[in-house]
Amino acid sequence: MTRTMGVLGGKWKLIIISYLTQPRRFGQLAQRMSLISRKVLTEQLRELEEDGIVRREAFAEAPPRVEYSLTEYGRALLPILEQLSAWHSAAPATAAVQ
Amino acid sequence: MTRTMGVLGGKWKLIIISYLTQPRRFGQLAQRMSLISRKVLTEQLRELEEDGIVRREAFAEAPPRVEYSLTEYGRALLPILEQLSAWHSAAPATAAVQ
DNA sequence: AGGGATAGTTACGCAGAGGTAACCGGTTTA
DNA sequence: TAAACCGGTTACCTCTGCGTAACTATCCCT
């Protein structure tokens, strides 16, 4: 568990992953997650890539195009994240009020 | 997803929850998670309590006894955490090498 | 009377996570 | 010729998460 948190620890990582249900360009990600700065978005994507969760594909075009997608391993996280979301939206009233 | 991260964001919270498969006293938790300071442990437990995930029961004894346990809502997280652990231990070789 | 056990709280300080703003390089478009 | 597009990178600064250490209250035991 502690190690799992090491890989998914950044407060943005699970959010980034949940946006990668399909391949997306860097600009698309930055636009949809306007709360995260470009710098941090780049950093987290690099780390996810190192951990084998995300695949980065750069096309030698102009203007540049870079697509991010989930690896097999990363895709395996999606159903778990859905369960997490479902869990959270099922919060009992006493907690939801807070 | 963003909100879910708000609730489970602290890097210790999921770890704390995974230790609460059964009711535990504060001292037990502090002992098992020696890497987390007592101060932060208290803070995170309070937040988990506010979010309806953890129940805190203080006994009017001396020396004081306080037991923490998961609510129904919190207990529903356990199977999901197990899946997360399983996912991580199934990391492909390319990622595991890093 | 003094010490130990439990479950904290408080004050203080630091490191690192994250934000902001400016800049870059190659190519197309006006 | 200049500007726009895209995907960054870099320097700098701020803020917050977390750690350490000291302190507290209550009761029991010696």
Side-chain angles (χ1 to χ4, degrees), chain B residues 14-58:
Chain B
L14 291 189
I15 298 171
I16 293 175
I17 293 171
S18 71
Y19 271 114
L20 282 177
T21 48
Q22 48 183 290
R24 296 211 185 274
R25 303 182 55 172
F26 182 82
Q28 288 180 305
L29 291 174
Q31 213 168 3
R32 282 170 153 271
M33 296 181 283
S34 50
L35 288 180
I36 180 175
S37 67
R38 295 172 85 81
K39 189 196 83 168
V40 173
L41 179 56
T42 313
E43 285 172 3
Q44 310 262 313
L45 283 168
R46 292 278 185 280
E47 289 178 26
L48 288 171
E49 196 191 351
E50 277 178 25
D51 289 326
I53 296 168
V54 156
R55 180 172 26 243
R56 177 182 186 274
E57 197 173 358

Side-chain angles (χ1 to χ4, degrees), chain A residues 12 20 23 34 49 52 59 61 65-66 68 82 89:
Chain A
W12 295 109
L20 282 177
S34 51
E49 196 191 352
F59 298 87
E61 302 174 359
R65 179 160 64 101
V66 176
Y68 291 93
E82 274 175 36
S89 60

Side-chain angles (χ1 to χ4, degrees), chain B residues 59-97:
Chain B
F59 298 86
E61 303 175 353
R65 180 161 64 102
V66 177
E67 277 190 2
Y68 292 93
S69 55
L70 292 178
T71 62
E72 277 295 300
Y73 180 49
R75 207 183 319 279
L77 262 178
L78 289 178
I80 302 180
L81 297 194
E82 274 176 35
Q83 288 178 62
L84 264 186
S85 274
W87 167 83
H88 183 231
S89 59
T94 52
V97 172

Side-chain angles (χ1 to χ4, degrees), chain A residues 4-68:
Chain A
T4 309
M5 283 303 97
V7 175
L8 303 176
K11 86 174 171 191
W12 295 109
K13 285 194 182 168
L14 292 189
I15 298 170
I16 293 175
I17 293 171
S18 72
Y19 270 114
L20 282 177
T21 49
Q22 47 182 289
R24 296 213 186 272
R25 303 182 56 172
F26 181 83
Q28 288 180 305
L29 292 173
Q31 212 168 4
R32 280 170 154 271
M33 297 180 282
S34 51
L35 288 180
I36 180 175
S37 67
R38 296 170 85 81
K39 188 195 85 167
V40 174
L41 179 57
T42 313
E43 285 171 5
Q44 310 260 313
L45 282 169
R46 291 280 184 278
E47 289 178 25
L48 288 171
E49 196 191 352
E50 277 177 24
D51 289 327
I53 296 168
V54 156
R55 182 173 22 245
R56 177 182 186 273
E57 196 173 2
F59 298 87
E61 302 174 359
R65 179 160 64 101
V66 176
E67 277 191 4
Y68 291 93

